[in-house]
Short mmCIF file of all heavy atoms in Angstrom, two decimals:
data_model
loop_
_atom_site.label_atom_id
_atom_site.label_comp_id
_atom_site.label_asym_id
_atom_site.label_seq_id
_atom_site.Cartn_x
_atom_site.Cartn_y
_atom_site.Cartn_z
N GLN A 773 4.04 -0.66 -6.61
CA GLN A 773 3.96 -2.08 -6.27
C GLN A 773 3.93 -2.28 -4.76
O GLN A 773 3.22 -3.15 -4.25
CB GLN A 773 5.15 -2.83 -6.88
CG GLN A 773 5.05 -3.01 -8.38
CD GLN A 773 6.28 -3.66 -8.98
OE1 GLN A 773 7.29 -3.87 -8.30
NE2 GLN A 773 6.21 -3.99 -10.27
N GLY A 774 4.68 -1.47 -4.05
CA GLY A 774 4.71 -1.59 -2.59
C GLY A 774 3.66 -0.76 -1.88
O GLY A 774 3.21 -1.10 -0.79
N PHE A 775 3.25 0.35 -2.55
CA PHE A 775 2.27 1.27 -1.96
C PHE A 775 1.23 1.62 -3.02
O PHE A 775 1.31 2.68 -3.66
CB PHE A 775 2.97 2.54 -1.45
CG PHE A 775 4.05 2.29 -0.44
CD1 PHE A 775 5.37 2.08 -0.85
CD2 PHE A 775 3.77 2.25 0.92
CE1 PHE A 775 6.37 1.86 0.08
CE2 PHE A 775 4.77 2.03 1.86
CZ PHE A 775 6.07 1.82 1.44
N PRO A 776 0.26 0.75 -3.24
CA PRO A 776 -0.72 0.94 -4.33
C PRO A 776 -1.50 2.25 -4.24
O PRO A 776 -2.00 2.73 -5.25
CB PRO A 776 -1.64 -0.27 -4.19
CG PRO A 776 -0.85 -1.28 -3.44
CD PRO A 776 0.02 -0.51 -2.51
N ASP A 777 -1.63 2.80 -3.03
CA ASP A 777 -2.40 4.03 -2.86
C ASP A 777 -1.53 5.29 -2.94
O ASP A 777 -2.03 6.39 -2.68
CB ASP A 777 -3.12 4.01 -1.51
CG ASP A 777 -4.16 2.91 -1.43
OD1 ASP A 777 -4.75 2.59 -2.48
OD2 ASP A 777 -4.38 2.37 -0.33
N ALA A 778 -0.28 5.13 -3.32
CA ALA A 778 0.62 6.29 -3.40
C ALA A 778 0.08 7.31 -4.41
O ALA A 778 -0.36 6.95 -5.50
CB ALA A 778 2.02 5.85 -3.81
N ARG A 779 0.15 8.57 -4.00
CA ARG A 779 -0.24 9.66 -4.91
C ARG A 779 1.04 10.20 -5.55
O ARG A 779 1.80 10.91 -4.91
CB ARG A 779 -0.96 10.78 -4.15
CG ARG A 779 -2.24 10.36 -3.43
CD ARG A 779 -2.86 11.60 -2.78
NE ARG A 779 -4.00 11.26 -1.93
CZ ARG A 779 -3.93 11.06 -0.62
NH1 ARG A 779 -2.74 11.14 -0.01
NH2 ARG A 779 -5.01 10.79 0.08
N ILE A 780 1.25 9.83 -6.80
CA ILE A 780 2.44 10.27 -7.53
C ILE A 780 2.01 11.24 -8.62
O ILE A 780 1.16 10.91 -9.45
CB ILE A 780 3.20 9.08 -8.13
CG1 ILE A 780 3.69 8.15 -7.01
CG2 ILE A 780 4.38 9.57 -8.97
CD1 ILE A 780 4.37 6.90 -7.51
N VAL A 781 2.59 12.42 -8.60
CA VAL A 781 2.31 13.43 -9.62
C VAL A 781 3.62 13.72 -10.36
O VAL A 781 4.64 14.02 -9.73
CB VAL A 781 1.77 14.73 -8.99
CG1 VAL A 781 1.61 15.82 -10.06
CG2 VAL A 781 0.44 14.48 -8.29
N PHE A 782 3.60 13.59 -11.67
CA PHE A 782 4.78 13.89 -12.48
C PHE A 782 4.79 15.37 -12.84
O PHE A 782 3.78 15.92 -13.28
CB PHE A 782 4.79 13.03 -13.74
CG PHE A 782 5.04 11.58 -13.48
CD1 PHE A 782 4.02 10.65 -13.66
CD2 PHE A 782 6.27 11.13 -13.04
CE1 PHE A 782 4.24 9.30 -13.40
CE2 PHE A 782 6.50 9.79 -12.78
CZ PHE A 782 5.47 8.87 -12.96
N LEU A 783 5.93 15.99 -12.63
CA LEU A 783 6.14 17.38 -13.01
C LEU A 783 7.34 17.40 -13.93
O LEU A 783 8.46 17.12 -13.51
CB LEU A 783 6.39 18.24 -11.77
CG LEU A 783 6.59 19.74 -12.02
CD1 LEU A 783 5.31 20.36 -12.56
CD2 LEU A 783 7.02 20.45 -10.75
N THR A 784 7.12 17.73 -15.20
CA THR A 784 8.16 17.55 -16.20
C THR A 784 8.09 18.61 -17.27
O THR A 784 7.06 19.29 -17.42
CB THR A 784 8.03 16.14 -16.84
OG1 THR A 784 9.02 15.97 -17.85
CG2 THR A 784 6.65 15.95 -17.44
N THR A 785 9.19 18.77 -18.00
CA THR A 785 9.18 19.66 -19.16
C THR A 785 8.73 18.92 -20.41
O THR A 785 8.58 19.52 -21.47
CB THR A 785 10.59 20.24 -19.42
OG1 THR A 785 11.51 19.16 -19.57
CG2 THR A 785 11.03 21.12 -18.26
N PHE A 786 8.50 17.62 -20.30
CA PHE A 786 8.22 16.80 -21.47
C PHE A 786 6.75 16.38 -21.50
O PHE A 786 6.29 15.63 -20.64
CB PHE A 786 9.09 15.54 -21.47
CG PHE A 786 10.56 15.83 -21.48
CD1 PHE A 786 11.27 15.91 -20.30
CD2 PHE A 786 11.23 16.05 -22.68
CE1 PHE A 786 12.63 16.20 -20.30
CE2 PHE A 786 12.59 16.33 -22.69
CZ PHE A 786 13.29 16.41 -21.51
N SER A 787 6.00 16.85 -22.51
CA SER A 787 4.62 16.41 -22.70
C SER A 787 4.60 15.33 -23.79
O SER A 787 3.77 15.32 -24.68
CB SER A 787 3.72 17.58 -23.09
OG SER A 787 4.20 18.23 -24.25
N ASP A 788 5.56 14.42 -23.71
CA ASP A 788 5.73 13.34 -24.69
C ASP A 788 4.60 12.33 -24.58
O ASP A 788 4.18 11.95 -23.49
CB ASP A 788 7.08 12.66 -24.42
CG ASP A 788 7.34 11.54 -25.39
OD1 ASP A 788 7.91 11.80 -26.45
OD2 ASP A 788 6.96 10.39 -25.08
N GLU A 789 4.09 11.89 -25.73
CA GLU A 789 2.94 11.00 -25.73
C GLU A 789 3.24 9.66 -25.07
O GLU A 789 2.39 9.08 -24.38
CB GLU A 789 2.43 10.80 -27.17
CG GLU A 789 1.82 12.05 -27.76
CD GLU A 789 1.36 11.85 -29.19
OE1 GLU A 789 1.38 10.70 -29.66
OE2 GLU A 789 0.97 12.85 -29.84
N GLU A 790 4.43 9.14 -25.29
CA GLU A 790 4.77 7.85 -24.67
C GLU A 790 4.83 7.97 -23.15
O GLU A 790 4.38 7.08 -22.43
CB GLU A 790 6.12 7.35 -25.21
CG GLU A 790 6.07 6.90 -26.67
CD GLU A 790 5.05 5.80 -26.90
OE1 GLU A 790 4.95 4.87 -26.06
OE2 GLU A 790 4.33 5.86 -27.92
N TYR A 791 5.39 9.08 -22.67
CA TYR A 791 5.40 9.30 -21.22
C TYR A 791 3.97 9.38 -20.69
O TYR A 791 3.65 8.84 -19.64
CB TYR A 791 6.13 10.61 -20.89
CG TYR A 791 7.62 10.57 -21.07
CD1 TYR A 791 8.34 11.74 -21.25
CD2 TYR A 791 8.33 9.37 -21.05
CE1 TYR A 791 9.73 11.73 -21.41
CE2 TYR A 791 9.71 9.34 -21.21
CZ TYR A 791 10.40 10.53 -21.39
OH TYR A 791 11.76 10.51 -21.54
N LEU A 792 3.13 10.11 -21.42
CA LEU A 792 1.73 10.24 -21.01
C LEU A 792 1.05 8.88 -20.90
O LEU A 792 0.37 8.58 -19.91
CB LEU A 792 0.97 11.11 -22.02
CG LEU A 792 1.04 12.61 -21.85
CD1 LEU A 792 0.45 13.29 -23.07
CD2 LEU A 792 0.30 13.05 -20.60
N LYS A 793 1.22 8.07 -21.92
CA LYS A 793 0.58 6.76 -21.92
C LYS A 793 1.05 5.91 -20.75
O LYS A 793 0.25 5.26 -20.07
CB LYS A 793 0.86 6.04 -23.25
CG LYS A 793 0.15 6.65 -24.44
CD LYS A 793 0.29 5.80 -25.69
CE LYS A 793 1.67 5.82 -26.26
NZ LYS A 793 1.75 5.10 -27.55
N THR A 794 2.35 5.93 -20.51
CA THR A 794 2.89 5.13 -19.41
C THR A 794 2.41 5.65 -18.07
O THR A 794 2.03 4.88 -17.18
CB THR A 794 4.42 5.11 -19.47
OG1 THR A 794 4.84 4.62 -20.74
CG2 THR A 794 4.99 4.23 -18.38
N ALA A 795 2.41 6.97 -17.91
CA ALA A 795 1.96 7.56 -16.64
C ALA A 795 0.51 7.20 -16.35
O ALA A 795 0.15 6.87 -15.22
CB ALA A 795 2.15 9.07 -16.68
N LEU A 796 -0.33 7.24 -17.37
CA LEU A 796 -1.74 6.89 -17.19
C LEU A 796 -1.89 5.42 -16.85
O LEU A 796 -2.70 5.03 -16.00
CB LEU A 796 -2.52 7.22 -18.46
CG LEU A 796 -2.71 8.72 -18.75
CD1 LEU A 796 -3.27 8.92 -20.14
CD2 LEU A 796 -3.61 9.36 -17.71
N ARG A 797 -1.12 4.59 -17.54
CA ARG A 797 -1.21 3.14 -17.28
C ARG A 797 -0.79 2.82 -15.85
O ARG A 797 -1.38 1.96 -15.20
CB ARG A 797 -0.31 2.38 -18.27
CG ARG A 797 -0.29 0.88 -18.04
CD ARG A 797 0.59 0.17 -19.06
NE ARG A 797 1.95 0.67 -19.04
CZ ARG A 797 2.88 0.28 -18.18
NH1 ARG A 797 2.59 -0.60 -17.23
NH2 ARG A 797 4.10 0.77 -18.24
N LEU A 798 0.22 3.52 -15.36
CA LEU A 798 0.71 3.26 -14.02
C LEU A 798 -0.30 3.63 -12.94
O LEU A 798 -0.30 3.07 -11.85
CB LEU A 798 2.00 4.05 -13.77
CG LEU A 798 3.26 3.58 -14.49
CD1 LEU A 798 4.39 4.55 -14.23
CD2 LEU A 798 3.64 2.18 -14.03
N GLY A 799 -1.15 4.61 -13.25
CA GLY A 799 -2.09 5.08 -12.25
C GLY A 799 -1.60 6.30 -11.50
O GLY A 799 -1.96 6.51 -10.34
N SER A 800 -0.78 7.13 -12.16
CA SER A 800 -0.32 8.36 -11.51
C SER A 800 -1.51 9.29 -11.29
O SER A 800 -2.54 9.18 -11.96
CB SER A 800 0.73 9.06 -12.37
OG SER A 800 0.17 9.49 -13.60
N LYS A 801 -1.36 10.19 -10.34
CA LYS A 801 -2.44 11.11 -10.00
C LYS A 801 -2.34 12.45 -10.73
O LYS A 801 -3.19 13.32 -10.54
CB LYS A 801 -2.46 11.37 -8.49
CG LYS A 801 -2.63 10.11 -7.65
CD LYS A 801 -3.91 9.38 -7.99
CE LYS A 801 -4.08 8.15 -7.10
NZ LYS A 801 -5.30 7.37 -7.46
N GLY A 802 -1.31 12.61 -11.53
CA GLY A 802 -1.20 13.86 -12.26
C GLY A 802 -0.02 13.88 -13.20
O GLY A 802 0.95 13.13 -13.03
N TYR A 803 -0.10 14.75 -14.20
CA TYR A 803 0.97 14.94 -15.17
C TYR A 803 0.99 16.43 -15.49
O TYR A 803 0.15 16.93 -16.24
CB TYR A 803 0.71 14.11 -16.43
CG TYR A 803 1.90 13.98 -17.36
CD1 TYR A 803 2.61 12.78 -17.44
CD2 TYR A 803 2.30 15.04 -18.16
CE1 TYR A 803 3.70 12.66 -18.30
CE2 TYR A 803 3.38 14.93 -19.01
CZ TYR A 803 4.07 13.73 -19.08
OH TYR A 803 5.15 13.62 -19.93
N LEU A 804 1.90 17.14 -14.85
CA LEU A 804 1.95 18.59 -14.96
C LEU A 804 3.23 19.05 -15.64
O LEU A 804 4.23 18.35 -15.62
CB LEU A 804 1.87 19.22 -13.56
CG LEU A 804 0.64 18.80 -12.72
CD1 LEU A 804 0.76 19.37 -11.31
CD2 LEU A 804 -0.65 19.25 -13.38
N ILE A 805 3.17 20.23 -16.22
CA ILE A 805 4.30 20.80 -16.95
C ILE A 805 4.99 21.85 -16.09
O ILE A 805 4.33 22.68 -15.46
CB ILE A 805 3.83 21.42 -18.28
CG1 ILE A 805 3.04 20.38 -19.09
CG2 ILE A 805 5.03 21.92 -19.08
CD1 ILE A 805 3.80 19.11 -19.40
N LYS A 806 6.32 21.80 -16.02
CA LYS A 806 7.07 22.67 -15.12
C LYS A 806 6.82 24.15 -15.38
O LYS A 806 6.89 24.97 -14.46
CB LYS A 806 8.56 22.37 -15.22
CG LYS A 806 8.97 21.06 -14.58
CD LYS A 806 10.47 20.83 -14.66
CE LYS A 806 10.87 19.54 -13.98
NZ LYS A 806 12.31 19.26 -14.09
N GLN A 807 6.55 24.50 -16.62
CA GLN A 807 6.33 25.91 -16.92
C GLN A 807 5.04 26.44 -16.30
O GLN A 807 4.80 27.64 -16.30
CB GLN A 807 6.27 26.12 -18.45
CG GLN A 807 7.61 25.91 -19.13
CD GLN A 807 7.88 24.45 -19.50
OE1 GLN A 807 7.32 23.54 -18.89
NE2 GLN A 807 8.73 24.24 -20.50
N GLU A 808 4.22 25.55 -15.75
CA GLU A 808 2.93 25.96 -15.19
C GLU A 808 2.95 25.89 -13.66
O GLU A 808 1.95 25.51 -13.03
CB GLU A 808 1.81 25.07 -15.74
CG GLU A 808 1.68 25.15 -17.25
CD GLU A 808 0.67 24.16 -17.81
OE1 GLU A 808 0.26 23.23 -17.08
OE2 GLU A 808 0.30 24.32 -18.97
N VAL A 809 4.04 26.29 -13.05
CA VAL A 809 4.18 26.16 -11.59
C VAL A 809 3.15 26.99 -10.84
O VAL A 809 2.83 26.70 -9.68
CB VAL A 809 5.60 26.54 -11.12
CG1 VAL A 809 6.61 25.52 -11.59
CG2 VAL A 809 5.98 27.95 -11.60
N GLY A 810 2.60 28.01 -11.48
CA GLY A 810 1.59 28.83 -10.83
C GLY A 810 0.32 28.06 -10.49
O GLY A 810 -0.43 28.45 -9.59
N THR A 811 0.08 26.97 -11.20
CA THR A 811 -1.12 26.16 -10.95
C THR A 811 -0.82 24.95 -10.07
O THR A 811 -1.69 24.12 -9.84
CB THR A 811 -1.71 25.66 -12.28
OG1 THR A 811 -0.78 24.76 -12.92
CG2 THR A 811 -1.99 26.83 -13.22
N LEU A 812 0.42 24.86 -9.58
CA LEU A 812 0.86 23.66 -8.89
C LEU A 812 0.09 23.41 -7.59
O LEU A 812 -0.40 22.29 -7.34
CB LEU A 812 2.35 23.74 -8.62
CG LEU A 812 3.03 22.50 -8.06
CD1 LEU A 812 2.72 21.27 -8.91
CD2 LEU A 812 4.53 22.72 -7.97
N LEU A 813 -0.01 24.41 -6.74
CA LEU A 813 -0.67 24.20 -5.45
C LEU A 813 -2.14 23.83 -5.60
O LEU A 813 -2.60 22.86 -4.96
CB LEU A 813 -0.50 25.44 -4.58
CG LEU A 813 -1.06 25.33 -3.16
CD1 LEU A 813 -0.49 24.11 -2.42
CD2 LEU A 813 -0.78 26.60 -2.37
N PRO A 814 -2.92 24.53 -6.44
CA PRO A 814 -4.31 24.09 -6.64
C PRO A 814 -4.39 22.67 -7.18
O PRO A 814 -5.30 21.91 -6.81
CB PRO A 814 -4.86 25.09 -7.66
CG PRO A 814 -4.01 26.31 -7.49
CD PRO A 814 -2.65 25.79 -7.14
N ALA A 815 -3.44 22.29 -8.03
CA ALA A 815 -3.43 20.94 -8.58
C ALA A 815 -3.21 19.91 -7.47
O ALA A 815 -3.87 18.86 -7.42
CB ALA A 815 -2.36 20.80 -9.66
N LEU A 816 -2.27 20.19 -6.57
CA LEU A 816 -2.00 19.26 -5.47
C LEU A 816 -3.21 19.13 -4.55
O LEU A 816 -3.52 18.03 -4.06
CB LEU A 816 -0.78 19.71 -4.69
CG LEU A 816 0.55 19.74 -5.46
CD1 LEU A 816 1.70 20.06 -4.51
CD2 LEU A 816 0.80 18.44 -6.20
#
């Protein structure tokens, strides 16, 4: 709301569908799973 261009990436152990839907609606720039930290830097 204060910074519309903010790049927010969620890193979580939960691939819950409701979380996914909300994250997409908000306009987040990513939704990554903690177990996949090896792909984190390329993703960023």
Side-chain angles (χ1 to χ4, degrees):
Q773 287 176 353
F775 302 90
D777 295 328
R779 300 182 187 95
I780 298 176
V781 175
F782 291 110
L783 182 66
T784 178
T785 56
F786 300 93
S787 57
D788 180 88
E789 292 178 8
E790 290 302 318
Y791 288 158
L792 276 170
K793 290 188 289 186
T794 303
L796 290 170
R797 177 179 58 82
L798 288 174
S800 65
K801 302 301 182 183
Y803 193 106
L804 304 174
I805 306 302
K806 287 182 178 178
Q807 291 86 336
E808 299 174 346
V809 291
T811 65
L812 187 53
L813 184 54
L816 297 186

